[in-house]
């Protein structure tokens, strides 16, 4: 197949340079990826073998541009592999995981290339670099060293093998999890629907149609299984659903992830030691804001004790409610959400079935856009363009007539999509080589409906992912390697978690939370009760999260465990975790940690960022206006547009004037009273 015949390699004449999705077939990916890898190899060789002395332009900037075609092709492929997978794409992932790893190792192990980078690093103070260029040089040199460029002989060869195997294992972990989530469902009879709100019944019927079942089903999609656990009075069915949900990746057979997790942890430990670190946590956290495992553990334990005390107090109330129902025995994990929902209705007069009609998906998209308009002057225009799936939609993002980005929203759950919600960029912002504006994608797993209704937590997820999107769309740097969300892992969640706060602004809800049938704005008494209940059940939510974060840290802080499942049990036992609360992510489906290195030793980062997001939104509260344009401009200048151009603590301090303490987080979660 010639380059001209392959739409992935041809010039894209589509609007805004979008991928020509209508012309792309799965058969195009392998030849396009192979061609892109070869082009990248040639570009790297040209840099390494350049007879001219190394300069920032002919080495660092040339490196920034070396993978232009690979970035373009891979940007399309990996977005499709996560959001609309199929057997052909899964096979390609398995085939190319070791090839990508080998390519990355070739670059790092190129001694002539690293020598040029090292020469520039040694002479950095005499090169007349701008602060942004100095930052890029620093990050490039550090990345090569941390990837093993300074190793020699057997150690270098072994590290290459380790990284290749880890890439294969991460792909297998992801695909096994997707298979378990796709295959399991529980059929419901009409009698099993008793007690469920209409929106849950409608979702279950739609899921049954997708699965080809004769009637409604419960699947492992969070948007269905969580409300089922909240509302079903059938304790036996709740237990079956909960056990299936928490057993993902641990069902034996070809999709079991337990041995994969064990091998991943061993290889990570070996990787760290080859590079001279005591353990993988020391290696991974060196470049994060936290800096080391002790600071992470200090933060998590500062939150653990008040959260545990709050959860234990709640458990006593829920268990008494269960006794009143005539149920003997202890409160179990499949009971918690059901009785917590009943208690919320009783104590806060809040009923999810009453709330949900006020949170239409379309209205919440408009709300996220409206807040971005008021804060940053962005405008959103729907686009009629070919995309990769009928559920996906696109908007052009502009400001004062200037094109800023294309935003793609893919909101509905389906069997071909991995679980969870995420933001990615098919194309990142940069100025080197010509002004390039981003193509940003938000992927969620909301239940379909007519209209599609969200829970309040779903709406928060939508705002969260859109906060990540803003970090990409407002990026304003020269070099793609520091663009958008290319920041420390424990800083990347700040823009997303901060943006969630605007959903809680009363005027936003009064404007956009309107009843799906009547169009009536959310009544003030209901709004008051909703906002008053924001910290309801926060002990449970915090305990399940912190337990997972501490297990992740314990996995990597010290020698890798021989039996990760036993180690997983040891951490909650040591902490005295309430028995009726499960970890948010058990090891076999802990994709944050085992699908790749992204959040390994780093799942704590959501809480680390929350310390900052609580403090950052307090700045708007102190200003007396959640849409203060001067503060918004400062937020954009120092955080949203800055990417990784400076260290994260410097960026935050430039915005807020100081770093925050944990007090704002505890107050925001309502745990200060339990501390």
């Amino acid at each position: 197949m010639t380059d001209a015949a392959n739409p992935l390699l041809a010039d894209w004449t589509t609007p805004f340079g979008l991928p020509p999705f209508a012309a792309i077939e799965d058969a195009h990916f392998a030849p396009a990826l192979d061609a892109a890898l070869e082009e990248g190899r040639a570009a790297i060789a040209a840099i390494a073998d350049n007879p001219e002395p190394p300069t920032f332009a002919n080495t660092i900037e040339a490196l920034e541009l070396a993978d232009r075609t690979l970035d373009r092709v891979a940007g399309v492929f990996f977005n499709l592999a996560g959001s609309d997978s199929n057997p052909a794409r899964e096979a390609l992932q398995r085939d190319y995981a070791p090839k990508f790893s080998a390519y990355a190792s070739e670059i790092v192990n190129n001694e002539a290339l690293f020598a040029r980078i090292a020469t520039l690093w040694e002479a950095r103070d005499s090169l007349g670099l701008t602060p942004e260029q100095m930052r890029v040089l620093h990050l490039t040199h550090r990345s090569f060293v941390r990837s093993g460029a300074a190793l020699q002989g057997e150690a270098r060869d072994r590290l290459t093998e380790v990284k290749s195997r880890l890439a294969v294992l991460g792909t297998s972990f992801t695909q096994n999890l997707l298979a378990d989530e796709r295959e399991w469902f529980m059929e419901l009879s009409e009698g099993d629907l008793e007690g469920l709100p209409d929106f849950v019944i409608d979702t279950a019927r739609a899921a049954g149609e997708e699965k080809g079942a004769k009637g409604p089903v419960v699947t492992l999609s969070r948007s269905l299984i969580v409300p089922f656990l909240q509302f079903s009075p059938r304790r036996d069915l709740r237990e079956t659903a909960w056990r299936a949900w928490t057993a993902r990746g641990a069902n034996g057979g070809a999709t079991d992830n337990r041995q994969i997790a064990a091998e991943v942890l061993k290889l990570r430990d070996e990787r760290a030691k080859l590079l001279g670190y005591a353990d993988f946590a020391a290696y991974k956290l060196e470049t994060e804001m936290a800096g080391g495992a002790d600071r992470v553990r200090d933060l998590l334990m500062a939150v653990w004790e008040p959260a545990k005390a709050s959860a234990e107090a709640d458990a006593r109330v829920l268990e008494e409610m269960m006794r009143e129902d005539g149920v003997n025995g202890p409160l179990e994990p499949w009971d918690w959400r059901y009785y917590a929902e009943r208690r919320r209705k009783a104590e806060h007069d809040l009923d999810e079935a009453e709330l949900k009609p006020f949170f239409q998906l379309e209205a919440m998209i408009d709300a996220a856009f409206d807040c971005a308009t008021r804060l940053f002057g962005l405008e959103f225009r729907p686009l009629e363009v070919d995309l990769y799936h009928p559920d996906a939609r696109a908007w052009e993002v502009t400001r004062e007539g200037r094109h800023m980005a294309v935003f793609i929203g893919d909101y509905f759950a389906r069997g071909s999509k991995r679980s969870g919600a995420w933001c990615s960029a098919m194309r990142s912002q940069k100025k080197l080589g010509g002004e390039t504006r981003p193509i940003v994608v938000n992927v969620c797993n909301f239940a379909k409906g007519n209209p599609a209704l969200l829970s309040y937590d779903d709406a928060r997820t939508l705002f969260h992912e859109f906060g990540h999107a803003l970090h990409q769309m407002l990026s304003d740097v020269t070099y793609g390697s520091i663009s958008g969300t290319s920041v420390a892992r424990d800083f990347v969640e700040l823009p997303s978690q901060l943006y969630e706060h605007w959903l809680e602004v009363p005027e936003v809800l009064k404007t956009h939370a309107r009843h799906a049938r009547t169009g009536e704005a959310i009544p003030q008494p209901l709004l008051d009760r909703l906002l008053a209940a924001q910290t309801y059940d926060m002990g449970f939510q915090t305990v399940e999260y912190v337990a997972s974060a501490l297990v992740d840290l314990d996995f990597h802080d010290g020698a890798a465990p021989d039996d990760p499942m036993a180690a997983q049990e040891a951490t909650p036992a040591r902490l005295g975790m309430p028995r009726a609360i499960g970890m948010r992510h058990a090891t076999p489906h802990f994709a944050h940690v085992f699908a790749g290195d992204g959040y390994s030793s780093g799942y704590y980062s959501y809480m680390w960022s929350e310390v900052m997001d609580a403090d950052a939104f307090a700045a708007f509260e102190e200003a007396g206006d959640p849409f203060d344009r001067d503060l918004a401009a400062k937020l954009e200048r120092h955080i949203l547009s800055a990417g990784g151009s400076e260290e994260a603590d410097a960026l935050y301090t430039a915005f807020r004037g100081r770093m925050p303490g944990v007090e704002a987080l505890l107050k925001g979660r309502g745990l200060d009273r339990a501390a």
Side-chain angles (χ1 to χ4, degrees):
M1 182 183 297
T2 65
D3 289 359
N6 190 323
L8 289 163
L9 296 174
D11 290 337
W12 293 353
T13 58
T14 48
F16 309 106
L18 283 164
F21 290 110
I24 295 172
E25 300 174 1
D26 287 339
H28 294 135
F29 281 115
L33 289 169
D34 288 341
L37 287 167
E38 285 308 306
E39 180 184 303
R41 287 187 173 96
I44 295 299
I47 299 168
D49 299 337
N50 188 342
E52 297 294 325
T55 65
F56 188 84
N58 71 20
T59 302
I60 304 302
E61 290 188 340
L63 264 177
E64 289 272 329
L65 298 173
D67 287 335
R68 281 176 291 191
T69 301
L70 184 59
D71 289 342
R72 184 171 74 157
V73 177
V76 177
F77 175 70
F78 284 110
N79 272 275
L80 295 187
S83 60
D84 193 26
S85 188
N86 61 31
R89 292 168 189 171
E90 290 178 5
L92 283 165
Q93 277 188 289
R94 292 191 295 270
D95 290 344
Y96 277 87
K99 293 182 181 181
F100 286 131
S101 178
Y103 175 70
S105 292
E106 287 173 29
I107 296 173
V108 168
N109 294 340
N110 188 314
E111 294 182 10
L113 177 61
F114 181 58
R116 295 178 71 87
I117 296 169
T119 297
L120 292 172
W121 178 244
E122 291 299 321
R124 60 191 179 276
D125 292 334
S126 64
L127 299 178
L129 301 180
T130 67
E132 185 177 339
Q133 289 173 328
M134 185 68 82
R135 175 71 171 165
V136 170
L137 175 59
H138 162 65
L139 293 176
T140 303
H141 180 263
R142 186 177 73 179
S143 174
F144 269 69
V145 172
R146 285 171 52 81
S147 296
L151 297 180
Q152 298 292 325
E154 291 183 6
R156 184 175 71 179
D157 294 342
R158 178 55 185 162
L159 183 62
T160 297
E161 293 173 0
V162 166
K163 289 191 287 187
S164 178
R165 181 60 179 162
L166 284 169
V168 171
L169 292 172
T171 298
S172 297
F173 189 98
T174 302
Q175 294 186 354
N176 290 346
L177 180 55
L178 177 60
D180 276 8
E181 292 171 343
R182 184 172 53 220
E183 295 303 319
W184 187 91
F185 60 89
M186 178 175 67
E187 296 191 51
L188 301 175
S189 69
E190 291 301 314
D192 296 337
L193 302 177
E194 183 179 349
L196 297 178
D198 288 344
F199 76 86
V200 180
I201 295 173
D202 292 343
T203 302
R205 292 193 191 282
E209 291 178 9
E210 184 194 3
K211 296 297 184 185
K214 296 179 181 179
V217 303
V218 174
T219 69
L220 296 181
S221 169
R222 188 178 185 90
S223 60
L224 176 50
I225 199 166
V226 167
F228 182 80
L229 292 170
Q230 284 178 302
F231 292 105
S232 176
R234 287 284 301 277
R235 194 178 191 226
D236 57 333
L237 297 181
R238 295 200 310 268
E239 180 179 358
T240 299
W242 186 87
R243 289 191 182 280
W245 193 31
T246 55
R248 291 168 294 156
N251 290 303
T255 62
D256 198 294
N257 276 333
R258 286 172 286 191
Q259 287 304 311
I260 290 177
E263 187 177 355
V264 165
L265 293 174
K266 290 291 187 184
L267 290 173
R268 284 178 180 162
D269 190 43
E270 183 180 0
R271 177 183 180 182
K273 287 182 169 60
L274 284 167
L275 291 167
Y277 295 87
D279 50 47
F280 187 78
Y283 163 75
K284 189 66 185 296
L285 295 172
E286 178 186 47
T287 60
E288 307 299 336
M289 291 183 74
D294 289 345
R295 290 188 69 194
V296 173
R297 191 169 277 107
D298 287 346
L299 168 67
L300 295 175
M301 292 308 300
V303 179
W304 174 261
E305 291 302 333
K308 177 185 171 185
S310 177
E312 288 174 335
D314 289 340
R316 290 190 288 271
V317 175
L318 301 184
E319 195 158 72
E320 181 57 33
M321 292 173 65
M322 195 171 73
R323 295 281 178 273
E324 292 173 0
D325 281 352
V327 180
N328 296 318
L331 183 74
E332 299 287 359
W334 49 88
D335 296 319
W336 191 292
R337 287 178 172 83
Y338 176 70
Y339 285 100
E341 180 63 28
R342 282 178 47 182
R343 182 187 178 195
R344 183 173 77 148
K345 184 175 182 180
E347 294 187 1
H348 294 278
D349 195 19
L350 275 182
D351 182 348
E352 186 76 18
E354 180 187 9
L355 274 175
K356 206 157 187 177
F358 290 99
F359 290 90
Q360 298 178 71
L361 172 61
E362 298 302 317
M364 292 302 100
I365 294 172
D366 288 344
F369 289 175
D370 182 35
C371 290
T373 300
R374 297 179 67 182
L375 287 164
F376 309 113
L378 299 178
E379 297 181 345
F380 300 83
R381 178 178 67 88
L383 294 175
E384 294 295 329
V385 292
D386 290 325
L387 296 173
Y388 59 88
H389 192 278
D391 287 345
R393 305 149 64 185
W395 293 263
E396 183 192 9
V397 186
T398 60
R399 179 159 61 186
E400 296 179 348
R402 178 195 174 200
H403 174 76
M404 297 293 290
V406 171
F407 174 68
I408 298 173
D410 182 358
Y411 295 108
F412 295 124
R414 54 179 174 267
S416 62
K417 183 188 289 186
R418 65 179 170 89
S419 62
W422 64 93
C423 175
S424 59
M426 288 193 186
R427 184 176 69 214
S428 296
Q429 178 272 331
K430 65 177 184 295
K431 298 176 184 175
L432 183 67
E435 179 73 25
T436 300
R437 297 308 306 172
I439 301 171
V440 188
V441 188
N442 273 181
V443 183
C444 299
N445 272 280
F446 302 142
K448 273 190 174 180
N450 187 23
L453 302 178
L454 306 183
S455 68
Y456 189 71
D457 283 344
D458 286 340
R460 184 182 286 113
T461 295
L462 187 149
F463 267 68
H464 178 101
E465 298 307 333
F466 194 72
H468 281 309
L470 287 171
H471 204 177
Q472 296 277 16
M473 292 188 286
L474 292 172
S475 179
D476 187 25
V477 297
T478 299
Y479 300 98
S481 63
I482 56 170
S483 174
T485 56
S486 298
V487 298
R489 181 64 61 178
D490 48 12
F491 190 66
V492 76
E493 297 298 336
L494 168 61
S496 55
Q497 293 178 186
L498 174 59
Y499 204 65
E500 293 178 33
H501 288 275
W502 274 276
L503 177 62
E504 302 171 1
V505 173
E507 64 184 277
V508 173
L509 290 171
K510 288 177 183 177
T511 301
H512 297 283
R514 294 186 172 275
H515 198 279
R517 182 172 52 82
T518 67
E520 169 198 7
I522 188 169
Q524 188 64 48
L526 180 58
L527 176 59
D528 291 342
R529 297 197 304 274
L530 173 64
L531 295 177
Q534 286 307 289
T535 59
Y536 175 72
D537 209 27
M538 194 56 73
F540 169 87
Q541 295 178 43
T542 306
V543 162
E544 65 164 5
Y545 166 79
V546 173
S548 290
L550 284 167
V551 166
D552 167 43
L553 187 64
D554 287 349
F555 275 161
H556 299 99
D557 184 21
D562 293 323
D563 183 350
M565 298 305 293
Q568 172 191 278
E569 298 304 317
T571 296
R574 184 185 76 246
L575 295 168
M577 185 167 178
R579 70 179 307 279
I581 303 179
M583 294 193 334
R584 183 169 298 180
H585 302 288
T587 298
H589 58 257
F590 206 164
H592 282 80
V593 172
F594 291 103
D597 277 354
Y599 283 89
S600 54
S601 294
Y603 191 61
Y604 76 91
S605 60
Y606 290 94
M607 187 151 284
W608 189 275
S609 293
E610 190 176 339
V611 171
M612 291 180 284
D613 81 63
D615 180 68
F617 192 72
F620 287 87
E621 294 176 321
E622 292 162 10
D625 180 3
F627 295 99
D628 186 288
R629 288 299 292 268
D630 289 339
L631 262 180
K634 196 175 180 182
L635 177 66
E636 178 179 349
R637 181 169 65 255
H638 294 300
I639 294 177
L640 295 176
S641 72
S645 59
E646 294 185 60
E647 292 290 347
D649 54 354
L651 293 174
Y652 188 83
T653 301
F655 166 66
R656 194 68 167 106
R658 53 165 174 73
M659 290 298 292
V662 74
E663 295 78 17
L665 180 148
L666 291 174
K667 181 179 179 182
R669 286 185 170 239
L671 299 175
D672 52 331
R673 297 179 294 275

